[in-house]
Amino acid sequence: MKINLQEMTIEELKAFAAEKGEKPFRGKQLFKWIHGGAADFDEMTDLPAGFRKLLKEETTIRSAEIIRSQKDSRDGTEKFLYRLGDGETVEGVFMKYRYGNSLCLSSQVGCRMGCTFCASTIDGLVRNLTAAEMLAQVYEAERKTGEKIGHIVVMGMGEPFDNYENLNRFLRLLHSPEGRKMSYRNMTVSTSGILPGIRRFGEDFPAAGLAVSLHRLTDEGRSEIMPVNRSYPLDELLDACREYTEKTGRRITFEYALIRGVNDRDEDVELMKRRLRGMLCHVNLIPLNNVEENSFTGSSRARAGEIGEKLIRSGIPATVRRELGSEIDGACGQLRRRTAAENME
């Protein structure tokens, strides 16, 4: 199996170059090429020809390829299906905003969290993604679109804090001053509520953004749709969120997928107001994308707007997520499952 250079730090690449009989500074050159968008070793023209030949024979800098995409003709949102080296697939979504381009990317193949409204978790967890496979989602999307990505959201398939070590390396590589130089402030990681991960993330990445999938405001209700709540109950989760905001000074985004008749009732809004008032937070209201495999129906955008206005009047910042990609398989995991089903026909 070829050595993957994409997830190595500069120091690791310097050591690798020295091991192959080259000056250590060649490792720094390699790092700059890899994270500057080079697609193959032939582009690395300042490396000796003999070293490039060795690199092609023994190593790789590609960890994923886009095998299918869907593009919304109205807003430019594009959804990608990536094939990894072992044939597994994950999804990513390229989105255009007035502040720049953003990519929502995956951290695992599948997911073991078991959220009942999510397509990603239907087949369970297959495996964690490596840091290289997360980086590849960014770089392959840029090659496909021809545009730079200035913001990333780790909110695709998987629970990022269930794959913390690879997530940590990925974020640091993307931030590296010798490479992509992406600011931590332009990175957001979303969790279903893994408390040890929230606390560690606050220590390791105090400048990055944190989003927490909330969705219901009682233990009984949240446990019904998010089994993680049985391990990390709501009171403990909200306490950890308060600790995070006090430590970092950064507000938390609470993701709230609106499910008709389940969590969009007036009593649900009152619970939100009571439980979140006074917190340094922002509520992102998301009319749920319908998934064929479950019986949930998303709330209307009009209802989402009403809920948002009620929260704002009570002093809780809230927005309704901009409707992007309505022409494509919007829910996370849908394109992967659709492609798998088509291949079986």
Side-chain angles (χ1 to χ4, degrees):
M1 182 180 294
K2 290 188 173 183
I3 299 168
N4 194 317
L5 304 180
Q6 199 171 32
E7 63 185 1
M8 290 188 181
T9 65
I10 283 185
E11 293 307 314
E12 289 168 342
L13 285 171
K14 285 180 178 178
F16 171 80
E19 181 185 314
K20 299 301 179 182
E22 297 290 335
K23 297 290 186 183
F25 77 87
R26 297 297 184 192
K28 185 174 183 178
Q29 290 176 307
L30 258 174
F31 189 89
K32 288 184 175 180
W33 279 112
I34 291 169
H35 300 284
D40 58 58
F41 295 112
D42 289 330
E43 295 179 32
M44 303 179 184
T45 52
D46 57 357
L47 297 180
F51 188 36
R52 277 183 277 152
K53 182 174 182 294
L54 179 147
L55 291 172
K56 283 190 279 187
E57 291 172 351
E58 298 184 10
T59 73
T60 182
I61 56 171
R62 302 290 288 271
S63 304
E65 62 174 329
I66 294 172
I67 58 170
R68 187 170 181 178
S69 64
Q70 296 177 335
K71 187 170 184 177
D72 192 306
S73 61
R74 293 179 292 184
D75 57 36
T77 300
E78 193 162 5
K79 190 163 194 176
F80 305 120
L81 185 68
Y82 299 90
R83 182 168 58 206
L84 309 175
D86 61 358
E88 294 292 346
T89 56
V90 294
E91 295 178 359
V93 182
F94 173 83
M95 297 164 286
K96 289 177 171 289
Y97 293 97
R98 63 179 180 276
Y99 56 75
N101 298 324
S102 181
L103 183 75
C104 178
L105 59 95
S106 297
S107 57
Q108 296 178 310
V109 182
C111 183
R112 66 172 179 157
M113 293 299 105
C115 300
T116 57
F117 53 85
C118 179
S120 295
T121 195
I122 291 171
D123 295 321
L125 175 66
V126 178
R127 68 171 176 84
N128 288 330
L129 295 188
T130 66
E133 289 168 333
M134 285 185 262
L135 282 167
Q137 293 174 67
V138 179
Y139 299 160
E140 295 298 319
E142 289 184 334
R143 293 186 186 107
K144 175 71 167 58
T145 62
E147 299 190 46
K148 284 293 182 185
I149 291 167
H151 299 74
I152 59 106
V153 184
V154 189
M155 198 184 288
M157 293 171 57
E159 164 55 61
F161 291 162
D162 197 29
N163 185 20
Y164 195 91
E165 296 305 328
N166 286 314
L167 173 74
N168 185 318
R169 177 172 282 252
F170 160 65
L171 296 178
R172 294 188 188 283
L173 285 169
L174 200 57
H175 175 72
S176 175
E178 295 86 358
R180 180 50 58 94
K181 305 176 186 177
M182 186 179 288
S183 169
Y184 286 132
R185 290 188 175 276
N186 292 353
M187 305 178 190
T188 298
V189 175
S190 177
T191 178
S192 60
I194 308 293
L195 266 60
I198 291 173
R199 295 190 175 105
R200 187 173 175 188
F201 187 72
E203 293 284 349
D204 293 344
F205 301 98
L210 175 66
V212 175
S213 296
L214 202 54
H215 309 316
R216 295 199 74 173
L217 271 301
T218 65
D219 276 322
E220 181 181 4
R222 193 165 186 268
S223 294
E224 284 178 1
I225 62 172
M226 299 183 71
V228 68
N229 193 76
R230 298 166 195 159
S231 299
Y232 304 110
L234 193 58
D235 283 346
E236 294 178 24
L237 173 61
L238 293 178
D239 284 345
C241 289
R242 291 186 186 93
E243 291 171 13
Y244 171 88
T245 60
E246 290 169 5
K247 181 184 293 290
T248 66
R250 300 271 285 169
R251 74 176 184 179
I252 284 181
T253 296
F254 287 120
E255 304 287 338
Y256 197 94
L258 290 163
I259 307 170
R260 187 178 300 169
V262 174
N263 66 355
D264 68 345
R265 300 159 300 179
D266 289 342
E267 55 262 41
D268 298 308
V269 180
E270 290 304 311
L271 269 174
M272 265 196 283
K273 289 160 62 174
R274 187 163 67 248
R275 299 301 301 269
L276 303 184
R277 188 178 285 118
M279 289 188 67
L280 183 59
C281 70
H282 172 266
V283 178
N284 188 18
L285 298 166
I286 311 161
L288 183 75
N289 281 303
N290 295 332
V291 175
E292 292 177 1
E293 290 84 356
N294 65 49
S295 59
F296 295 127
T297 301
S299 308
S300 68
R301 293 194 70 80
R303 178 57 178 159
E306 292 172 4
I307 293 172
E309 289 175 5
K310 289 180 179 180
L311 292 176
I312 291 169
R313 285 198 297 269
S314 71
I316 300 171
T319 52
V320 179
R321 178 180 287 180
R322 176 182 159 199
E323 190 173 20
L324 291 171
S326 58
E327 294 181 345
I328 61 181
D329 287 316
C332 188
Q334 279 188 325
L335 180 57
R336 175 175 179 258
R337 290 182 60 78
R338 186 183 300 278
T339 300
E342 291 172 355
N343 289 340
M344 292 176 64
E345 292 177 354

